[in-house]
Amino acid sequence: MPEKDLRVELLSMTPNSLELLYAAFRQCYHAGFVADMWPRLINGEVDKEKQAEFVSKILESGHTSPIEHVSFTFAVEGISRACSHQVVRHRLASYSQQSQRYVTESDMDYILPPAIAKIPEARERFERFMEEVGSAYKDLREILVNAGREDKANEDARFVLPQAAETKIVITMNCRSLIHFFNLRCCQRAQWEVRKMADEMLKICKDNFPAIFRYAGASCEQLGYCPEAERFACGRYPTLKQLTAK
């Protein structure tokens, strides 16, 4: 049962994403039918820099709904079940997660929190418990199989697995949902593991679609102030109350 590291890979993004958003934004302010300009867009007859500039300008006005037409799909491994439970609370997304019911966890990988890893006695106790869990899982599964419950052994034995158990998941979000996800999960107040995952996803988004994600990140980085109450603020940015105080 080895410790597992985070890995985030981009599987897919909407083809012709810039052209699609340009067309969607243009339709909102254009009397004609954007399908008529679509061939020119995908054939490169309209300058991409001008498209990106137009999209960025409209976004600055607060008009963001058209960016929902473009989505990203990520494959993620090396996160804990504790982390995945936080991620799936973001409802405007699609998820396909590795099942503990169908995948045998006899050689379960796990996630080791950094705060535990740096304290020798804490790490030793944590790793010893992971071994105990692994042994209990194997014993229970074997007992269930021997009792004639082989096809259901995994789904019952999994009840002893910890939140530290490593999981793999495929995530699809549109750009608007991703920006909201980054607002919350790139924040210093977010739990360390989901923040690490969000930071990796944000790097990928910035590399692949800078016109949309150039300024994406924690809410404070976009607003210029911390939207949290003072008792929750990390201090990187002043709170709104501090900014407006007379």
Side-chain angles (χ1 to χ4, degrees):
M1 298 194 305
E3 178 187 351
K4 192 82 171 183
D5 293 325
L6 173 68
R7 180 183 175 192
V8 180
E9 297 286 344
L10 177 65
L11 295 186
S12 177
M13 64 180 290
T14 304
N16 301 309
S17 52
L18 177 59
E19 292 82 0
L20 180 57
L21 291 194
Y22 178 79
F25 275 114
R26 278 295 302 273
Q27 189 64 89
C28 296
Y29 305 100
H30 181 52
F33 187 34
V34 296
D36 294 333
M37 72 168 68
W38 184 247
R40 296 177 54 240
L41 292 176
I42 61 175
N43 289 332
E45 298 175 34
V46 180
D47 185 74
K48 284 185 176 290
E49 288 188 9
K50 289 185 178 180
Q51 292 183 57
E53 182 180 349
F54 178 79
V55 169
S56 297
K57 182 179 179 180
I58 301 301
L59 282 175
E60 289 174 0
S61 73
H63 186 188
T64 60
S65 61
I67 67 176
E68 293 177 7
H69 293 296
V70 170
S71 63
F72 284 67
T73 298
F74 303 89
V76 181
E77 71 170 358
I79 61 171
S80 68
R81 280 270 168 169
C83 180
S84 71
H85 290 339
Q86 297 179 72
V87 173
V88 299
R89 290 193 178 103
H90 292 265
R91 296 174 179 85
L92 296 181
S94 297
Y95 305 101
S96 299
Q97 186 170 7
Q98 186 179 64
S99 172
Q100 291 179 334
R101 185 182 183 192
Y102 296 108
V103 178
T104 301
E105 296 281 3
S106 297
D107 296 311
M108 179 195 75
D109 294 326
Y110 61 83
I111 309 305
L112 178 64
I116 292 177
K118 68 182 182 181
I119 304 173
E121 57 267 37
R123 178 169 189 151
E124 187 277 331
R125 184 65 187 93
F126 184 93
E127 292 177 340
R128 180 154 45 92
F129 177 70
M130 291 299 108
E131 292 178 3
E132 293 167 1
V133 167
S135 178
Y137 177 88
K138 291 176 183 177
D139 289 345
L140 287 169
R141 190 176 184 282
E142 182 178 357
I143 291 169
L144 290 165
V145 169
N146 291 337
R149 194 169 166 76
E150 183 170 2
D151 60 335
K152 300 293 184 181
N154 288 350
E155 74 176 29
D156 293 332
R158 65 178 168 164
F159 276 72
V160 299
L161 296 176
Q163 291 200 75
E166 187 263 347
T167 190
K168 299 173 178 63
I169 190 169
V170 173
I171 304 168
T172 298
M173 290 186 186
N174 68 53
C175 291
R176 199 181 194 189
S177 293
L178 279 166
I179 288 174
H180 178 254
F181 177 78
F182 297 142
N183 284 165
L184 300 179
R185 302 303 185 177
C186 292
C187 174
Q188 291 299 309
R189 290 194 64 235
Q191 185 253 358
W192 65 269
E193 187 182 11
V194 73
R195 184 172 70 247
K196 184 177 180 181
M197 189 192 91
D199 286 343
E200 289 299 312
M201 291 169 63
L202 178 57
K203 289 177 186 176
I204 291 172
C205 289
K206 285 186 173 183
D207 288 343
N208 285 274
F209 209 168
I212 298 299
F213 294 100
R214 182 178 293 111
Y215 303 111
S219 293
C220 59
E221 295 173 0
Q222 292 186 314
L223 298 172
Y225 64 87
C226 175
E228 303 278 357
E230 286 188 60
R231 66 182 183 278
F232 298 127
C234 70
R236 291 178 62 205
Y237 286 84
T239 65
L240 182 61
K241 183 177 180 179
Q242 291 170 334
L243 284 178
T244 57
K246 295 182 179 180

